[in-house]
Amino acid sequence: MIVVMKPGATQQDVQHVADLVLEFGLKEHTIVGTDRTVIACIGDKRSVDKSALENAPMVDRIVPILAPYKMASKEVRKTASEISLMPGGPTIGGAKIAVIAGPCSVESRDQILRTAQAVADAGGVALRGGAFKPRTSPYSFQGMGEEGLELLAEARERTGLAIVTEVIGVEQVEVCAAYSDVLQIGARNMQHYPLLEAMGRQDKPVLLKRGMSAKLEEWLLAAEYIINAGNPNVILCERGIRTFEDYVRNTLPLAVVPELKERTHLPVVVDPSHGTGHAHLVPSMCKAAIAAGADGLIVECHPDPERATSDGAQSITPGALYDLMTPLRRIAEAVGREL
Amino acid sequence: MIVVMKPGATQQDVQHVADLVLEFGLKEHTIVGTDRTVIACIGDKRSVDKSALENAPMVDRIVPILAPYKMASKEVRKTASEISLMPGGPTIGGAKIAVIAGPCSVESRDQILRTAQAVADAGGVALRGGAFKPRTSPYSFQGMGEEGLELLAEARERTGLAIVTEVIGVEQVEVCAAYSDVLQIGARNMQHYPLLEAMGRQDKPVLLKRGMSAKLEEWLLAAEYIINAGNPNVILCERGIRTFEDYVRNTLPLAVVPELKERTHLPVVVDPSHGTGHAHLVPSMCKAAIAAGADGLIVECHPDPERATSDGAQSITPGALYDLMTPLRRIAEAVGREL
Amino acid sequence: MIVVMKPGATQQDVQHVADLVLEFGLKEHTIVGTDRTVIACIGDKRSVDKSALENAPMVDRIVPILAPYKMASKEVRKTASEISLMPGGPTIGGAKIAVIAGPCSVESRDQILRTAQAVADAGGVALRGGAFKPRTSPYSFQGMGEEGLELLAEARERTGLAIVTEVIGVEQVEVCAAYSDVLQIGARNMQHYPLLEAMGRQDKPVLLKRGMSAKLEEWLLAAEYIINAGNPNVILCERGIRTFEDYVRNTLPLAVVPELKERTHLPVVVDPSHGTGHAHLVPSMCKAAIAAGADGLIVECHPDPERATSDGAQSITPGALYDLMTPLRRIAEAVGREL
Amino acid sequence: MIVVMKPGATQQDVQHVADLVLEFGLKEHTIVGTDRTVIACIGDKRSVDKSALENAPMVDRIVPILAPYKMASKEVRKTASEISLMPGGPTIGGAKIAVIAGPCSVESRDQILRTAQAVADAGGVALRGGAFKPRTSPYSFQGMGEEGLELLAEARERTGLAIVTEVIGVEQVEVCAAYSDVLQIGARNMQHYPLLEAMGRQDKPVLLKRGMSAKLEEWLLAAEYIINAGNPNVILCERGIRTFEDYVRNTLPLAVVPELKERTHLPVVVDPSHGTGHAHLVPSMCKAAIAAGADGLIVECHPDPERATSDGAQSITPGALYDLMTPLRRIAEAVGREL
């Protein structure tokens, strides 16, 4: 952490900051520059609230140096984590890219079984589907609940696909874990800490979506909460961020993929469905995500998007998914992966 | 809801959409323009997922017309809601502007009692303070828990101030409600629906912070969740949004105040502490918020900001709070309010 | 400037950076921390491209310390600049707040003379009006050109108001300067450097609007271009920034006002018309801007907004402007100013 | 265009709007819905300022239907435009993807000739390089001017590469056109209309960068200015947008590529250097851009990035460029293109 003093700071102002730094259990090192004095604070005190120092007289700003996450970082684990989606089942984070697909919501037995079969036929490794739905409006369809989970489990039995489903609150963790293989935390819940901690006590992998305006560090700290609570199997999922762009539901910032590969050992999945909001943009963004180095895709797929109860606009058909796999495979090979 | 067809849409394409509209239980009205055909969908079906239609062939986009919130809107209640912060206590939403102040976290008995006294002396009506803290990092101070709530209750006893405290999860609702007067939902939890519904079952007012990238409609729909679950006493709190600006922690968009006054009957409070992140900007933004028509302020105030365990950089001192009240009072009068 | 090395950087990596720093004419000071090494670079070399160092091996990032603007900063001039809008005429930046108002475009003699009279009657000190219009679409009304400037000059003669008009290109500088008193640079041109330099060679004050996504430092550097080219009379104008908010045309970040007051001696004006895009939000934002400490307002005002050729939605009527002056005056007094 | 009335609008309010619509030369069609009345306005009047109607009593908002650009749109030209970068030279917009590379600034004869050779060796078709530099700070290196253009022309002679250079103002159009093949408009000038119009009078292709916060429609309208002024050869270049993300200089929204392919016949190039700001992210984003369907890349490449006078942090070395071509070629083939 570096404290930058304002121009005109006196020696007394500097000393006051230096004293506070020592009081916080850090060492200080003062550098007098041409126009400014800066005070480097040495020591690993992630728990110190750096912002407090900003209130000392003549302090201009505080520059943090140390990344505040640890277990999610490459500083702790240098090689990529390869995570099994289910015991003995497909993995994510290794050479093979994982395609996860399925509807936004489980709507009926027929819908979910047909979709599951299509996902398996296309070469996907997991089925996504929501049984408990976090909906912006209280008047929207809220999901089938446990009945939906039962249908997902039946789909697994028939196809061998792993099941990925969203957990919307601490109360649903147990029931979701009972039926599914990968527990998803949605974008809106990325900083719901009680849920992160509850997930940390599970032994199933967690797919952690980025909050729609989360900075990279905040996202990795959310992963840190889960790992810190005992579950190292966190899969990061980029699903687009909120910007001024209005031709898309969210802006999909694919540079996050190579940046995460620099910073963390955790696998990175891209969701081009929420990441764009429009089915006609999904295939291109699937290709781009693989080209950018993603470890997997999670794609909304529905047999009749016009009549989907949620997210119809961003769902592709089983046929479109199937056709997409050939170019995806070739791109994966071009970047040294397989699919 | 209006469906805009692409140029070149055939009559068959239009008919297909019209049929889907009828299938959804709405009436349709087709208008053939110079370049485009649009299909107006008539009827109040808030539960229909409008996005599905976008997937029909030759549909360009969907334009929603109806605001999807109802009970939070002025269409249902035309006059402003005036909400009591505690039985027989001060209200918010009437002529008198409410000032709520206090530390980010309850840190000690001395700290909270001193601050409470200062808030009361300055003319504030409520004390804010966090006992359960949602912290970005798992390594940061997480709050004093129930002990902090007890100290807040003691501060109320001594000063008569109402107590505002944040509830970070469904599990904390009961204990927070037992000790405090107003239950706060933080920005990160604005769309944690289980918490919104749990708050809807309480009989204490809820201060609902705007999510840091929430659109107005999403925020009002979050309020709608609470009202719909049975609690009409929702206070909206603007606390700044995430933008590209980096001299502030958040960008404080004060135009939201008059816009909300057009759309909703709920009281609107502004938090200039989170809304800027820097103590030196807080007094000006307090003044601006009152001038813009806010019903109240919620301000972070700490007797020793340099040593605050959280949010020190954005906390003002009791002295600064006291000095601020005179100009605030005059501005309130200039806009036809009192304080 | 501080260079932060990656964890694992060797002494050789650090030495390589230190050598580059010396090569750039700066002194270096290396600090070995618990996890990271940082290299402080000492010396005032604003011309060095700091980004180049980032490409050296094992460099994590570069943290600039020095603000790159100089003449616009308070480091050079500690007291506020008070600028005359016309020789012997009203000033901006002193105790008295300046209200500038008028239509987006000059449309006709009748329109501009009626508006000018209304602005003068309300107590405004300057008339704004565009003769050359930068329009997003080539098919929109592009302004009356020199004829519009003549009408503005006539309005000045009749009312004594100073004239503020936008210059859209280097070619229009001379003709605009011939007729008007204050030359405006629009948001889209904030970083059109040839225009900034041409303005620097004029002896009339320049009203420099913030670019719609300009950071504070970029805005002040644009002012620096003008001052550096010879014209110290720059008035900064906040007109809203582009964010994800969609109930407004732009988000008006009023905290910029007190922040600029910390950093620069230049006067700060707020444009609540572009800053919101909707007439019903303009009065509240005028009040909030004064409360926040603005030195002036620039407001779009049109006698018949429904029929305005541009920006009708955000123009208030002369009557609304007149009514607004009483609360504005009282707020000005509450913050120690007059109007 | 559709006018949405507020709830509670009377028949008189609706009639008033209908009269205004007729006055503007449009036909109107009123639809009375369950809660709201909407008025569809029929006719192709791109010149009407839609915003004015918003000021009529009881109007809630205006929804535009028609895209305001015409010549840039697929409504006018359905097949992709293939543009020659130089007479008889390589094209962009056809099956073959064009790679443009070179330094940010021309710095010396040796630097530019070495880079040009490297670009040619790697298989690039054009050399980029700035002779006139738009720099954020007046104290930064401003480019070599005409001498730089001469060096670029010499590089063309030696390598056969087309030359792409930025024009920073109307005054530089002639001299830049005299030496180079493709004229670039930088992001900061995307809405500098005098420059757009001057470019429209040239017979060389124009590479039009997206403004850093430009909406799609604004960008296409900027292209429309150039085409409307006589030059149909516009190449669109995405270079990243400004968002809250801070690990990148800009956020690169690659979904814009397939979206533009839906809307316009103009070729689309991606600039992953400005689009990320960091050399380590550039190769992945080059791959992703091709996978997303881009017609070309424009990449900053410097033989000694650590010592580049500008944009060093985002420049890749000639070796990195060379190595990148093999995966790019394979990805191009996977998406049905060649390179």
Side-chain angles (χ1 to χ4, degrees), chain A residues 16 23 51-52 54-55 135 139 168 171 189 192-193 213 218 224-225 242 278 305-307 311-313, chain B residues 16 23 49 51-52 54-55 135 139 168 171 189 192-193 213 218 224-225 242 278 305-307 312-313:
Chain A
H16 177 71
E23 193 181 308
S51 84
E54 199 191 289
N55 243 329
R135 300 305 299 276
Y139 308 124
I168 62 165
E171 306 69 39
N189 281 329
H192 188 62
Y193 302 115
S213 62
E218 293 166 343
E224 191 89 356
Y225 261 96
R242 184 154 276 179
H278 301 288
E306 291 177 1
R307 290 178 181 81
D311 284 354
Chain B
H16 178 70
E23 194 181 307
D49 179 31
S51 84
E54 198 191 288
N55 242 328
R135 299 304 300 276
Y139 309 124
I168 62 166
E171 304 69 37
N189 282 329
H192 188 63
Y193 303 115
S213 62
E218 293 165 344
E224 191 90 356
Y225 260 95
R242 184 154 276 179
H278 301 288
E306 290 178 2
R307 290 180 181 81

Side-chain angles (χ1 to χ4, degrees), chain A residues 224-252:
Chain A
E224 191 89 356
Y225 261 96
I226 300 170
I227 303 173
N228 194 41
N231 186 347
N233 295 317
V234 178
I235 302 160
L236 300 169
C237 176
E238 171 62 64
R239 46 74 76 200
I241 56 170
R242 184 154 276 179
T243 72
F244 66 83
E245 290 205 311
D246 52 12
Y247 65 95
V248 273
R249 182 169 169 190
N250 292 289
T251 293
L252 189 63

Side-chain angles (χ1 to χ4, degrees), chain D residues 288-302:
Chain D
I290 302 299
D295 296 305
L297 296 174
I298 181 163
V299 184
E300 288 192 343
C301 177
H302 193 288

Side-chain angles (χ1 to χ4, degrees), chain A residues 2 12 49 56 60 71 75 80 103 130 138 148 206 209 214 217 223 244 257-259 264 278 288 290 295:
Chain A
I2 285 169
Q12 197 185 346
D49 180 31
D60 185 24
M71 287 180 292
E75 303 181 25
V206 176
K209 290 204 163 186
E217 197 173 79
F244 66 83
V257 177
E259 182 68 19
T264 180
H278 301 288
I290 302 298
D295 296 304

Side-chain angles (χ1 to χ4, degrees), chain D:
Chain D
M1 182 171 76
I2 286 168
V3 182
V4 182
M5 303 299 292
K6 288 185 184 167
T10 63
Q11 214 188 317
Q12 196 183 347
D13 297 323
V14 172
Q15 191 57 49
H16 177 70
V17 171
D19 291 346
L20 279 169
V21 169
L22 294 173
E23 193 181 306
F24 291 158
L26 299 166
K27 274 187 274 185
E28 62 81 23
H29 188 112
T30 300
I31 303 153
V32 181
T34 316
D35 297 58
R36 300 286 189 111
T37 295
V38 303
I39 301 161
C41 308
I42 301 167
D44 179 2
K45 290 274 167 176
R46 283 161 210 261
S47 64
V48 171
D49 180 31
K50 68 182 197 313
S51 83
L53 275 173
E54 199 191 287
N55 243 328
M58 296 305 282
V59 167
D60 184 24
R61 63 203 156 97
I62 308 294
V63 181
I65 297 300
L66 208 58
Y69 48 89
K70 202 159 199 167
M71 287 180 293
S73 83
K74 281 208 152 169
E75 303 182 25
V76 161
R77 184 191 158 99
K78 291 205 165 25
T79 57
S81 290
E82 188 170 352
I83 296 175
S84 290
L85 297 181
M86 58 202 296
T91 65
I92 194 160
K96 202 168 151 56
I97 290 166
V99 173
I100 306 166
C104 175
S105 304
V106 183
E107 294 167 9
S108 71
R109 185 165 181 272
D110 176 64
Q111 173 240 21
I112 198 67
L113 295 186
R114 274 171 65 199
T115 310
Q117 196 54 54
V119 172
D121 290 349
V125 299
L127 177 70
R128 61 150 290 155
F132 298 94
K133 298 300 306 171
R135 300 304 300 276
T136 307
S137 163
Y139 308 124
S140 298
F141 174 62
Q142 307 274 326
M144 292 181 75
E146 190 163 355
E147 191 188 342
L149 294 174
E150 283 166 12
L151 294 174
L152 287 168
E154 184 182 347
R156 173 178 48 205
E157 219 169 301
R158 290 179 170 237
T159 58
L161 295 171
I163 300 300
V164 182
T165 204
E166 178 168 352
V167 183
I168 61 166
V170 172
E171 305 70 37
Q172 282 76 37
V173 174
E174 291 306 328
V175 68
C176 289
Y179 289 97
S180 68
D181 304 296
V182 178
L183 301 167
Q184 177 182 322
I185 296 184
R188 295 177 183 89
N189 281 328
M190 192 202 84
Q191 291 187 309
H192 188 63
Y193 302 115
L195 184 58
L196 298 179
E197 286 172 347
M199 291 302 213
R201 294 185 293 267
Q202 296 296 314
D203 60 358
K204 299 202 163 173
V206 176
L207 188 139
L208 176 68
K209 288 204 163 185
R210 180 182 185 178
M212 83 169 90
S213 62
K215 295 201 176 186
L216 223 57
E217 198 173 78
E218 293 166 343
W219 188 13
L220 289 168
L221 281 167
E224 192 90 356
Y225 260 95
I226 301 171
I227 304 173
N228 194 40
N231 186 347
N233 294 316
V234 178
I235 302 160
L236 300 169
C237 176
E238 171 63 62
R239 46 74 74 200
I241 56 171
R242 185 154 277 179
T243 72
F244 66 84
E245 289 204 312
D246 52 10
Y247 65 94
V248 275
R249 184 171 168 187
N250 292 289
T251 293
L252 189 63
L254 287 175
V256 86
V257 177
E259 182 69 20
L260 284 170
K261 292 286 163 196
E262 286 269 308
R263 296 197 189 194
T264 180
H265 52 87
L266 301 173
V268 181
V269 159
V270 171
D271 172 353
S273 306
H274 289 86
T276 62
H278 300 288
H280 73 277
L281 300 173
V282 169
S284 296
M285 288 304 99
C286 286
K287 295 173 198 166
I290 302 299
D295 296 305
L297 296 174
I298 181 163
V299 184
E300 288 192 343
C301 177
H302 193 288
D304 187 7
E306 289 178 1
R307 290 178 180 82
T309 55
S310 53
D311 283 355
Q314 68 195 37
S315 298
I316 60 172
T317 59
L321 179 67
Y322 190 90
D323 293 346
L324 189 53
M325 297 304 273
T326 304
L328 291 186
R329 225 164 256 132
R330 294 183 63 188
I331 294 170
E333 283 158 20
V335 297
R337 306 287 286 269
E338 52 190 290
L339 181 150

Side-chain angles (χ1 to χ4, degrees), chain A residues 61-217:
Chain A
R61 63 203 156 96
I62 308 294
V63 181
I65 298 299
L66 208 58
Y69 47 90
K70 204 159 198 166
M71 287 180 292
S73 82
K74 281 208 154 170
E75 303 181 25
V76 161
R77 185 191 157 100
K78 294 207 165 20
T79 55
S81 289
E82 188 170 353
I83 296 175
S84 290
L85 298 181
M86 58 203 296
T91 66
I92 193 158
K96 200 166 153 58
I97 289 166
V99 173
I100 305 166
C104 176
S105 303
V106 182
E107 296 167 7
S108 71
R109 185 166 182 271
D110 176 65
Q111 172 240 23
I112 199 67
L113 295 186
R114 274 170 65 199
T115 309
Q117 195 55 54
V119 171
D121 291 349
V125 298
L127 177 70
R128 61 150 289 156
F132 298 93
K133 298 300 305 170
R135 300 305 299 276
T136 307
S137 163
Y139 308 124
S140 299
F141 174 62
Q142 307 274 326
M144 292 180 75
E146 190 164 356
E147 190 188 342
L149 293 173
E150 283 166 12
L151 294 174
L152 286 167
E154 183 182 349
R156 174 178 47 205
E157 218 168 302
R158 289 179 172 238
T159 59
L161 296 171
I163 299 300
V164 182
T165 204
E166 179 168 352
V167 183
I168 62 165
V170 172
E171 306 69 39
Q172 281 77 37
V173 174
E174 291 306 327
V175 68
C176 289
Y179 289 98
S180 68
D181 304 296
V182 179
L183 301 168
Q184 177 181 321
I185 296 185
R188 296 177 181 88
N189 281 329
M190 192 202 83
Q191 291 187 308
H192 188 62
Y193 302 115
L195 184 57
L196 298 178
E197 286 171 348
M199 290 301 212
R201 293 186 292 266
Q202 296 296 315
D203 61 358
K204 299 201 164 175
V206 176
L207 188 139
L208 177 66
K209 290 204 163 186
R210 180 181 184 180
M212 80 168 92
S213 62
K215 296 200 176 186
L216 222 57
E217 197 173 79

